[in-house]
Amino acid sequence: MDNIPKRIREVIKDVYPYIKQLNPGQKVVVESGYLEDDSNYIIAIPTASGKTIIGVMAALQSIFKGGKAIYTAPLISIQNEKIAEFKKFEKHNIKVGKHPSSSDLSVMVFESFDSLTRFSWDSLKEINTLIIDEFHMIGEFTRGPTLECAITRAKIINPSIKIIALSATLNNIEEIKNWLNAKVVENDYRPVPLNKEVLNTEMFDSQNKNDVVVKITEKSINENSQILSFVSTRRFTESLAEYVGKKISKKLDDEEMKRFKEVSNKILDVPKAKGSNPTSTCLRLGECCENGTAFHHAGIFNEQREIIEEEFRKGNLLMISATPSLMYGVNLPSRSVVIRDYTRWTAQGLQAIPVFDYEQMSGRAGRPLYDDVGYSYLIAKSLDEAYELQDRYINGDIEDTTSKLIENKDAILRQIIAQIASNLSKNIDEIQNFFNKTFYGYQMMNDPYMKEFADISLKYEIENAIEFLIVNGIIQPTPEGLKVTKFGDLMAKSNYKVETAVKLKEYGNTIEYLDLNAVIYALSSTPDLPLISFKGKRSKDPVREKLSSVGLFTTNIGNTEATTVSLIEWINEKNEFEIENAYNVYSASTRRSAYESSILIKFFKDILEINGHYSYSQQLDILSARLYYGIKEDLIPLIIGIKHLGRKKARSLIKTFGNDLKPYNEKDFEKIEGIGSKLSKRIKDYVNS
């Protein structure tokens, strides 16, 4: 720590008292001179090797020199975790937040940083240091193009910005280094040694991979450690947690059973606090938790996921089974990681996971401060398959990180809109010049096989995209160059996909009267609304019948239709328990879908108003409120006017006293279950206002 500037050293010692000295990997980085050097840097060291502290030191160096820093992360869960961690800097007079206009150190997700580069140039120009966590995600299909173009734009608008790219191992690091014009510091030190193995069912005289997970869990129990298990689908997370839990239940002592029961009770209290009985998914999760196992996926309540994560950190759960999305999630300590499924469903069918993803999941094993060793187990069904997996994943090289910008058609469209809306590009040549500066452009121009055709190929893609944007009224040619229309400007200022905006515009042009159920179906048909999925293969007829009953007819019944029906029931005050029982869906997702749809409706309203349709605005405002609160229209004034009333208590008030509450006093209101003296006073104050 002695070679770190004194002021930075003091802050780190205070905020991270467990760090007595830098580990060898961190020392190599500091000794490279990257704190004093204004060059861009790529820091490539293994997962769980202390990359955050490296980023923090660079941020503090900038802030103590009177500047500002941005720390970007791919997921909101990571953003929230880092904000909570960095908030401790505030006692050292360092403001921490989500936007540089009000913070010295801002923590932003990639999409928010992209927005900053488009519309907040003054704030961007104040930034001295940009730290990019999980930089390797630049090669990921969904978020990669956003990050890539945001970096490109930031370098154009603020050429002096220092970029610190924190990453796991990158195979083609020289290529990325040249694009970023960066120096590279690589080190393979890992504070907690990681052992990787391929196991197979034959070793355990079984044909069931779950039995192998059971054996590993039993070993973990004996070692007083925990495991994360990765499987390919939500349904598999549940069945694995249930299977393992039942197998190990007889090995639990009374103290463990007591602790696990407390976790289970917390899980089951979540829906009750929301005015719903526990759904069958909740009950299944609660039963698993009683045996020390849990499943973790998007189909359970957010609060339940938080409980699982917190209790796992406390050692009150033995195993979590999760989908691969957790490999980029919050920090969970586990000595062992089990990768039961090495395939997943894609648009091209069942595909083997990349070596890079295998490394990311394996890297979750053996966390500093918790373990002295980590174990990663990949499970095969046979000895022959084990040899194949050994060659591919343990002995094989990770894939090159390549730009997905041109593969992601929405990314091309959105970035063209962004360039034109921000007045950075006015014609095809300027747009092409921007794309040439991206990672995609660099890779194309430096590929000996593609270089000759790079310009022609890119120009073709841009021309097609511009034609699409003009035809759909998003941009228009003018004597001064390309300009965005009002519709295009609205899209540029949103984070919605182009397909979503175009679909909603086309729908708005076809409606002769506003059918609220049809509006919900239109929203559910866009790619931006989180869908509520079916739980299994039970009959989908109840969804079809409900749609028919409200005048919506379709031959296909999928998650779009399940979401539509769930939201229709939600605004008619059905709770998650009732929705799940009626339609066999993961109803815990309803609140998130309802919240997102309430915001998406406002976007739809803006589209209509831009096109001169104002007659539906009030109805859409009402529908937005109904979705947000999950209520019928008559409850809107009460819910909005009385803080913390909630729909269940509001409906009880109306059922008990009618629509006119003025004749009643506070004691009368307190007769309603859940209404105490403070709430009854707020109700009376509202009635008298």
Side-chain angles (χ1 to χ4, degrees):
M1 296 280 281
D2 293 340
N3 51 357
I4 299 173
K6 182 180 177 183
R7 199 171 174 191
I8 296 176
R9 187 166 67 244
E10 288 173 349
V11 174
I12 290 176
K13 282 185 175 181
D14 178 48
V15 176
Y16 304 98
Y18 52 85
I19 298 179
K20 304 303 180 185
Q21 60 183 11
L22 298 181
N23 66 46
Q26 293 168 331
K27 281 182 182 178
V28 168
V29 176
V30 172
E31 289 169 359
S32 72
Y34 98 115
L35 287 177
E36 295 77 25
D37 191 344
D38 289 332
S39 302
N40 297 331
Y41 271 82
I42 299 172
I43 312 297
I45 57 178
T47 304
S49 297
K51 289 192 290 288
T52 298
I53 296 299
I54 292 169
V56 162
M57 287 191 285
L60 294 176
Q61 180 83 327
S62 291
I63 293 166
F64 289 152
K65 287 182 177 180
K68 292 187 174 186
I70 292 177
Y71 191 106
T72 63
L75 302 174
I76 290 175
S77 58
I78 300 177
Q79 179 191 34
N80 292 338
E81 187 179 72
K82 296 303 180 187
I83 286 177
E85 178 181 328
F86 297 162
K87 275 288 182 182
K88 297 172 185 175
F89 296 147
E90 293 195 333
K91 57 183 174 180
H92 294 275
N93 297 316
I94 297 169
K95 293 180 182 177
V96 176
K98 294 184 178 181
H99 197 280
S101 62
S102 57
S103 309
D104 300 314
L105 174 56
S106 315
V107 185
M108 310 181 82
V109 292
F110 295 162
E111 290 78 9
S112 297
F113 176 63
D114 179 53
S115 180
L116 185 80
T117 67
R118 287 183 275 139
F119 298 108
S120 300
W121 291 2
D122 289 341
S123 293
L124 182 61
K125 288 174 182 177
E126 293 178 351
I127 303 304
N128 302 83
T129 301
L130 169 66
I131 299 112
I132 306 169
D133 200 359
E134 307 284 1
F135 175 79
H136 42 265
M137 288 193 75
I138 198 166
E140 191 260 343
F141 179 82
T142 305
R143 292 182 173 88
T146 300
L147 175 61
E148 172 184 348
C149 291
I151 292 171
T152 305
R153 202 174 292 113
K155 289 165 65 180
I156 294 170
I157 297 165
N158 183 357
S160 64
I161 194 169
K162 177 178 179 177
I163 299 173
I164 307 291
L166 305 176
S167 180
T169 304
L170 296 164
N171 202 39
N172 52 327
I173 200 163
E174 280 296 312
E175 189 176 35
I176 300 168
K177 164 194 165 182
N178 292 333
W179 172 63
L180 276 181
N181 188 25
K183 295 181 179 179
V184 174
V185 182
E186 290 184 276
N187 195 273
D188 59 3
Y189 173 78
R190 197 178 193 274
V192 179
L194 178 60
N195 298 312
K196 301 175 185 175
E197 292 183 52
V198 178
L199 306 178
N200 68 84
T201 56
E202 293 176 6
M203 298 167 61
F204 297 88
D205 296 322
S206 174
Q207 295 182 337
N208 188 345
K209 287 185 176 184
N210 289 351
D211 288 330
V212 182
V213 183
V214 170
K215 293 297 183 183
I216 297 169
T217 307
E218 290 173 344
K219 179 175 179 287
S220 294
I221 293 173
N222 294 333
E223 295 175 347
N224 194 29
S225 64
Q226 300 161 281
I227 71 171
L228 284 176
S229 297
F230 288 104
V231 294
S232 57
T233 68
R234 292 183 187 181
R235 188 160 55 89
F236 287 161
T237 67
E238 296 179 18
S239 60
L240 177 61
E242 190 172 56
Y243 188 90
V244 174
K246 288 179 178 177
K247 290 287 185 179
I248 65 171
S249 60
K250 296 177 182 179
K251 298 180 180 294
L252 304 178
D253 59 37
D254 291 343
E255 177 58 32
E256 287 174 323
M257 293 177 67
K258 180 182 176 183
R259 285 190 291 119
F260 298 156
K261 180 65 176 177
E262 289 173 357
V263 176
S264 176
N265 290 338
K266 289 180 182 179
I267 290 293
L268 297 178
D269 284 342
V270 169
K272 293 175 186 175
K274 295 176 177 292
S276 172
N277 291 329
T279 65
S280 58
T281 304
C282 293
L283 293 172
R284 193 177 192 185
L285 178 58
E287 289 173 3
C288 288
C289 289
E290 282 192 38
N291 293 325
T293 63
F295 51 85
H296 186 292
H297 60 58
I300 60 178
F301 289 100
N302 288 338
E303 294 87 346
Q304 290 174 332
R305 288 200 296 273
E306 290 169 4
I307 289 168
I308 290 167
E309 291 162 9
E310 182 61 27
E311 295 299 332
F312 192 76
R313 289 190 191 98
K314 292 178 179 177
N316 292 331
L317 286 170
L318 299 172
M319 186 200 78
I320 294 177
S321 61
T323 51
S325 58
L326 195 62
M327 67 180 169
Y328 288 119
V330 293
N331 185 26
L332 293 175
S334 57
R335 175 174 289 200
S336 300
V337 161
V338 178
I339 303 167
R340 196 200 71 173
D341 302 340
Y342 64 91
T343 57
R344 70 181 64 148
W345 285 101
T346 69
Q348 291 74 42
L350 198 63
Q351 299 284 327
I353 62 172
V355 178
F356 194 93
D357 284 5
Y358 164 77
E359 292 288 345
Q360 284 296 115
M361 287 186 272
S362 293
R364 307 290 286 182
R367 312 301 294 187
L369 304 181
Y370 297 100
D371 302 301
D372 55 3
V373 66
Y375 297 95
S376 167
Y377 301 105
L378 179 58
I379 304 179
K381 273 206 153 187
S382 67
L383 185 59
D384 288 342
E385 187 181 54
Y387 284 132
E388 179 188 332
L389 297 182
Q390 179 88 16
D391 288 341
R392 180 189 298 171
Y393 290 109
I394 295 183
N395 300 329
D397 293 328
I398 63 171
E399 300 79 9
D400 284 353
T401 299
T402 58
S403 171
K404 302 299 187 295
L405 178 57
I406 294 300
E407 294 176 35
N408 188 329
K409 299 304 180 185
D410 182 72
I412 302 172
L413 295 170
R414 284 178 48 77
Q415 293 304 328
I416 290 174
I417 296 168
Q419 284 298 109
I420 296 172
S422 56
N423 293 316
L424 286 171
S425 302
K426 295 181 180 178
N427 54 53
I428 290 178
D429 289 340
E430 290 177 354
I431 292 169
Q432 181 154 355
N433 183 48
F434 170 75
F435 280 109
N436 281 336
K437 293 177 181 178
T438 64
F439 185 40
Y440 168 80
Y442 180 86
Q443 288 191 306
M444 288 286 285
M445 294 302 295
N446 288 274
D447 185 328
Y449 300 103
M450 296 299 296
K451 185 176 181 179
E452 186 176 344
F453 308 102
D455 275 338
I456 297 172
S457 174
L458 183 56
K459 190 171 185 178
Y460 174 78
E461 294 287 351
I462 292 171
E463 287 175 344
N464 282 347
I466 287 175
E467 182 181 355
F468 174 88
L469 295 173
I470 291 173
V471 167
N472 284 280
I474 298 166
I475 62 173
Q476 59 186 2
T478 73
E480 295 80 28
L482 294 170
K483 300 281 186 182
V484 291
T485 63
K486 288 183 178 179
F487 180 43
D489 188 56
L490 178 66
M491 292 173 62
K493 291 175 180 175
S494 81
N495 282 321
Y496 292 123
K497 289 181 171 61
V498 174
E499 181 186 342
T500 293
V502 170
K503 274 190 169 186
L504 291 179
K505 180 187 176 185
E506 290 175 348
Y507 172 70
N509 289 336
T510 63
I511 57 177
E512 297 178 0
Y513 70 95
L514 203 66
D515 179 341
L516 299 186
N517 296 318
V519 170
I520 292 174
Y521 194 18
L523 297 177
S524 300
S525 301
T526 66
D528 278 294
L529 192 70
L531 295 180
I532 300 163
S533 59
F534 283 103
K535 289 175 57 182
K537 296 181 180 179
R538 275 170 44 187
S539 173
K540 297 177 181 179
D541 286 345
V543 168
R544 191 191 309 277
E545 290 164 7
K546 180 63 182 180
L547 290 173
S548 299
S549 73
V550 296
L552 299 173
F553 303 96
T554 178
T555 54
N556 296 320
I557 300 295
N559 292 339
T560 295
E561 289 69 32
T563 303
T564 302
V565 166
S566 298
L567 293 178
I568 289 171
E569 296 287 33
W570 174 251
I571 64 173
N572 286 296
E573 300 178 22
K574 294 291 194 297
N575 60 39
E576 289 88 350
F577 174 79
E578 294 168 316
I579 294 170
E580 182 166 311
N581 279 357
Y583 304 109
N584 191 40
V585 296
Y586 283 112
S587 61
S589 305
T590 305
R591 289 174 195 256
R592 183 190 173 206
S593 293
Y595 169 75
E596 295 295 344
S597 60
S598 73
I599 299 173
L600 187 53
I601 278 183
K602 295 176 183 177
F603 183 62
F604 177 48
K605 174 188 165 186
D606 290 339
I607 292 173
L608 290 177
E609 290 181 350
I610 282 171
N611 290 310
H613 302 299
Y614 293 92
S615 57
Y616 305 129
S617 296
Q618 185 177 1
Q619 287 173 275
L620 290 173
D621 283 338
I622 291 171
L623 180 56
S624 178
R626 291 183 63 190
L627 282 160
Y628 186 86
Y629 294 106
I631 53 177
K632 296 177 182 176
E633 185 175 342
D634 65 318
L635 286 189
I636 292 176
L638 276 180
I639 292 292
I640 293 177
I642 304 169
K643 191 176 180 181
H644 301 314
L645 178 60
R647 66 177 188 172
K648 187 176 181 180
K649 293 189 281 287
R651 181 56 64 196
S652 295
L653 277 173
I654 299 301
K655 282 185 177 179
T656 304
F657 303 113
N659 291 316
D660 185 6
L661 301 178
K662 285 187 177 180
Y664 303 98
N665 58 40
E666 294 176 28
K667 291 296 181 185
D668 293 325
F669 299 144
E670 288 177 30
K671 294 176 183 177
I672 302 294
E673 183 181 355
I675 296 180
S677 58
K678 290 182 180 179
L679 182 53
S680 65
K681 184 179 185 306
R682 285 201 295 271
I683 297 170
K684 192 61 182 175
D685 290 344
Y686 167 78
V687 169
N688 292 334
S689 62

